């Protein structure tokens, strides 16, 4: 991976559409003005359950659908300042049920993402991301959810990505996250766009008195095809 090529796509890999230079470069949504773009998405999932509890004494067959409407707002505030917000409205519709409960429930609205992104800080490949964000990592073993976090990333001239983050459960919409405070750090070395080796550490503080756990996880990982590493070594490295 050449230095220029790495810097061209790693920003897109990490920050998606917010890596674009302006609102006019967006290929989706409605451009409101030179700084803001709005887009939307609709999902409808149907679910049919037949004796899902394996208890023949009670009739629990049920059909339902869940509608999910999302509105996204992209803000290109300044040259290196971005913002993103995502509002979700969802409602469960009970089509048929053998139980007495026929209540479909009200519409529920929640802000699932709202964060600020500062990139190229000080003219360097340093980025700071603050707020509730879709936080996941490539294997989705440690994180794959909307979490409140402060993330600091550095991707310099070599195909290396350094990341440090403080993740705060706070007012998360999932109760089990609310007492968590995580410190996370990782470094990745990319062989190509799809393959990398990494080392990581995760330290968790949990104030829940019933769990009383403060674990520390660390590990090494490789993601991609093994032949990529063999080709790199055969060619004398990147």
């Amino acid at each position: 991976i050449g230095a220029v090529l790495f810097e061209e796509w790693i920003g897109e890999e990490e920050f998606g559409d917010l890596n674009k230079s302006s609102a006019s470069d967006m290929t989706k949504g409605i451009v409101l003005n030179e700084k803001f773009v709005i887009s939307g998405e609709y999902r409808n999932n149907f679910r049919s359950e037949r004796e899902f509890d394996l208890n023949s004494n009670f009739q629990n067959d049920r059909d339902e659908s869940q509608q999910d409407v999302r509105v996204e707002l992209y803000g290109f505030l300044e040259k290196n300042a971005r913002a993103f917000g995502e509002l979700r409205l969802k409602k469960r519709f009970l089509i048929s049920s053998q139980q007495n409960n026929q209540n479909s429930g009200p519409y529920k609205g929640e802000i699932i993402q709202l964060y600020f992104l500062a990139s190229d800080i000080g003219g360097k490949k340093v980025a700071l991301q603050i707020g509730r964000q879709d936080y996941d990592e490539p294997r989705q073993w440690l994180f794959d959810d909307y979490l409140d976090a402060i993330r600091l990333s550095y991707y310099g001239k070599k195909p290396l990505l350094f990341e440090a983050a403080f993740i705060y459960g706070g007012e998360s919409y999932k109760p089990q996250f609310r007492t968590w405070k995580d410190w996370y750090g990782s470094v990745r070395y990319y062989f190509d766009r799809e393959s990398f080796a990494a080392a990581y550490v995760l330290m968790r503080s949990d104030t829940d008195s019933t769990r009383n756990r403060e674990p520390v996880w660390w590990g090494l990982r490789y993601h991609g095809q093994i032949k990529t590493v063999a080709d790199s070594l055969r060619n004398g490295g990147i």
Side-chain angles (χ1 to χ4, degrees), residues 56-72:
S56 60
N57 295 326
F58 299 95
Q59 299 299 314
N60 290 325
D61 292 355
R62 183 169 64 200
D63 296 321
E64 65 180 35
S65 69
Q66 179 170 296
Q67 295 185 3
D68 188 326
V69 179
R70 304 190 183 201
V71 179
E72 302 172 336

Side-chain angles (χ1 to χ4, degrees), residues 139-157:
R139 295 302 298 270
Q140 299 178 350
W141 287 353
L142 301 176
F143 302 105
D144 182 21
D145 220 313
Y146 301 108
L147 300 172
D148 298 328
I150 301 174
R151 301 170 66 185
L152 184 66
S153 304
Y154 172 71
Y155 43 105
K157 296 181 179 180

Side-chain angles (χ1 to χ4, degrees), residues 62-65 91-97 99-108:
R62 183 169 64 200
D63 296 321
E64 65 180 35
S65 69
K91 180 178 175 65
R92 180 177 63 88
F93 291 91
L94 196 59
I95 300 172
S96 65
S97 174
Q99 298 174 332
N100 294 327
N101 182 14
Q102 296 290 333
N103 182 19
S104 294
Y107 272 102
K108 294 182 178 180

